[in-house]
Amino acid sequence: MLDYIIVGSGLAGIAFSEFACNNNKSFVVINNQSQNSSKIAGGLYNPVILKRFSEVWQAQEQLDLLYSFYGNIEKKLGVKLDYRLPLLRKFYSVEEQNNWFTASDKPNLSKFLSTDLITTKWDAIDSPFNFGEVLHSGYLDTALLLEEYKKYLISINCYQEETFDYAQLNINAEFVEYKNIKARHIVFAEGFGMLKNPFFSKLPLDGTKGELLLIKAPNLDVDVILKSSIFIIPLGNDLYKVGATYNWEDKTNVPTEAAKKELVANLSELINCDFEIIEHYAGVRPTVKDRRPLVGSHPIHKNIHVLNGLGTRGVMLAPAMALALFNNIENNIPLDKNIDITRIKNFVSSFYQSE
C-alpha cells in the first residue's frame, strides 16, 4: 500500500512529489508527457501584475517558499534551475513613468517596485524613457527541471510512463486501486489534460494557449529580463526566450504562423538588431476564469484529489499549492477558500445530484 499515486509530472506534480518525498511518503508518479505547458513555459516569476500594477495574490508567501523549494531541488539534482534576474519594464512615455512611481508608493507594492529609474542603455534597444525595475524576479529552467526530476523519479523507482486509464481506477473507502497499485490517495495534477478526467472534468478549467520563440541574437547583449508587450529572457550564449501569446480559442499544442508573426512584430518593436528564430513552442496553460487555482478533494470520494489551474504563474504557485494540498490531506489543515474547489458550487452540487 502506497501513500500516493500522483498523475502528472509538470510543475504541480513535481511539487507534490517533492513534499511527499520530503515527508517520507511512498508514492508513484504516472505521466504520459501529453501536456507540455510546464516544459515550454517561459518560467518567469514576477510578484507584480504589470498591466494593472497590482500585487500577485499572496506574492511574498509564494516567493519565500519558491526560493527554498527550488533551491533544495537544485541541491538534490545537482543542477542550476533558478536564475534570479532583474526584470526591467520599458517605459514609452512620461505618463508611464508617473504611473510606475505612483504604484511604487503603495504599501503592498513598494517592496517589489524600485523607485530608481534604470537608465542603462543598450545599443539594440531604443529607450528614451528608460526602465522601471521589478525586484525579486527571475526565471526557472522548467524544461531542465522536468527532465532531471523524471530521471530522479526513475532512479528511485517511482515513475511510470503511461497514459492513465480512468476506467481502471477502483475506489474504496480507505484506498484506491489502479491496476496493481494500491494507495491511500490519488492526486491528479494533469494540467489542461484534466478536461478528460471524469472526476474533475466539470471544474471550470478554461485553458489559454501560449506560444514562445527561442531566438539567437548575437548583438542584443542583454543580461536582464526585459518586459514590454512581450518578455525577453536571456539564456546565455546569445540565446533568448521571447513570449508570449494568449489565445483563448485554440486548445492545441501546435505552433501557428499567426502567433509567430505577432511575436516577431512585437520583438522588432522592442529591439533593433538582427535575430534568428531557433525554435517555436506552443502549449495550453491550465487557466481558470476566476484566476485562482483548483485544489482540493472530490466531493464524494475523499481520497481523490486535484492540483490544477496554476495558469500563467505555475513557477510561483506550484510549491505553495502543493504544500497546501499536502497539509490538507495529511494534517487536515483547511485550504484557503480562494483555491478550494468547494468554491465552485455547480461542481459540488452536480455530484450530489447525480448520486
Side-chain angles (χ1 to χ4, degrees):
M1 176 83 74
L2 296 176
D3 291 305
Y4 291 98
I5 298 170
I6 301 166
V7 183
S9 192
L11 289 171
I14 286 174
F16 196 90
S17 301
E18 187 69 359
F19 286 116
C21 191
N22 291 342
N23 287 275
N24 298 313
K25 300 297 179 182
S26 55
F27 65 94
V28 64
V29 174
I30 298 174
N31 186 51
N32 69 359
Q33 302 197 70
S34 65
Q35 302 303 313
N36 67 344
S37 63
S38 290
K39 184 176 181 179
I40 66 100
L44 185 65
Y45 59 87
N46 160 27
V48 180
I49 301 170
L50 290 172
K51 188 179 291 186
R52 299 190 295 275
F53 282 124
S54 57
E55 180 187 1
V56 168
W57 176 68
Q58 294 188 343
Q60 190 60 59
E61 296 92 327
Q62 290 174 28
L63 281 173
D64 291 343
L65 180 57
L66 178 154
Y67 292 136
S68 61
F69 179 82
Y70 294 118
N72 289 335
I73 290 183
E74 285 181 325
K75 292 174 187 173
K76 175 187 284 192
L77 303 182
V79 293
K80 175 70 173 171
L81 300 168
D82 181 14
Y83 295 84
R84 302 184 191 185
L85 295 177
L87 186 153
L88 302 188
R89 170 70 158 82
K90 181 180 173 180
F91 295 135
Y92 287 86
S93 65
V94 172
E95 182 183 9
E96 282 195 355
Q97 290 179 347
N98 292 337
N99 290 340
W100 177 280
F101 290 126
T102 299
S104 67
D105 280 339
K106 296 178 181 178
N108 63 326
L109 292 178
S110 60
K111 57 190 172 184
F112 300 132
L113 299 179
S114 172
T115 55
D116 296 325
L117 272 180
I118 303 301
T119 58
T120 305
K121 298 298 179 185
W122 288 276
D123 292 340
I125 300 170
D126 183 30
S127 55
F129 297 98
N130 300 309
F131 303 88
E133 180 180 357
V134 179
L135 308 173
H136 311 294
S137 59
Y139 78 92
L140 192 78
D141 189 336
T142 55
L144 185 61
L145 170 62
L146 267 62
E147 177 186 335
E148 293 299 320
Y149 206 86
K150 176 182 173 180
K151 291 179 186 175
Y152 166 71
L153 291 173
I154 291 172
S155 74
I156 59 173
N157 297 312
C158 290
Y159 185 88
Q160 290 186 197
E161 184 90 34
E162 66 174 272
T163 297
F164 190 86
D165 184 355
Y166 304 103
Q168 296 204 48
L169 181 65
N170 294 312
I171 305 161
N172 297 275
E174 301 301 322
F175 64 91
V176 297
E177 190 170 5
Y178 178 71
K179 297 183 178 180
N180 62 340
I181 306 169
K182 283 185 179 180
R184 292 191 304 117
H185 300 276
I186 184 167
V187 174
F188 289 104
E190 303 160 291
F192 190 63
M194 188 192 78
L195 291 184
K196 297 178 181 177
N197 185 323
F199 302 102
F200 297 109
S201 60
K202 294 178 183 176
L203 285 172
L205 190 69
D206 196 18
T208 308
K209 183 173 182 175
E211 301 191 41
L212 302 93
L213 300 176
L214 177 67
I215 67 165
K216 189 175 184 70
N219 296 320
L220 183 51
D221 196 25
V222 168
D223 58 357
V224 298
I225 300 168
L226 292 176
K227 181 77 175 75
S228 66
S229 58
I230 55 171
F231 61 73
I232 300 177
I233 300 175
L235 305 179
N237 299 316
D238 299 326
L239 294 173
Y240 300 85
K241 194 172 277 190
V242 177
T245 61
Y246 294 84
N247 187 322
W248 291 269
E249 305 302 324
D250 183 0
K251 309 295 185 183
T252 71
N253 292 330
V254 181
T256 64
E257 192 63 27
K260 180 179 176 181
K261 287 180 178 177
E262 178 186 334
L263 289 170
V264 168
N266 288 331
L267 180 60
S268 298
E269 284 184 5
L270 183 56
I271 67 175
N272 55 29
C273 63
D274 293 335
F275 58 88
E276 174 190 359
I277 297 174
I278 306 297
E279 289 192 58
H280 180 188
Y281 310 100
V284 182
R285 312 171 184 92
T287 53
V288 185
K289 281 189 170 63
D290 69 1
R291 298 182 179 177
R292 292 290 180 264
L294 300 169
V295 183
S297 303
H298 192 275
I300 305 297
H301 309 297
K302 300 304 181 184
N303 46 11
I304 299 181
H305 316 277
V306 65
L307 178 60
N308 210 310
L310 305 188
T312 61
R313 299 187 179 274
V315 170
M316 285 183 68
L317 281 169
M321 298 304 100
L323 180 58
L325 181 59
F326 184 84
N327 281 333
N328 178 248
I329 297 170
E330 294 292 338
N331 305 311
N332 207 28
I333 297 174
L335 292 166
D336 186 305
K337 68 181 188 311
N338 289 291
I339 67 170
D340 194 331
I341 57 173
T342 58
R343 76 184 189 273
I344 315 296
K345 303 303 181 186
N346 292 343
F347 169 73
V348 176
S349 63
S350 70
F351 281 95
Y352 286 108
Q353 289 166 6
S354 64
E355 289 288 310

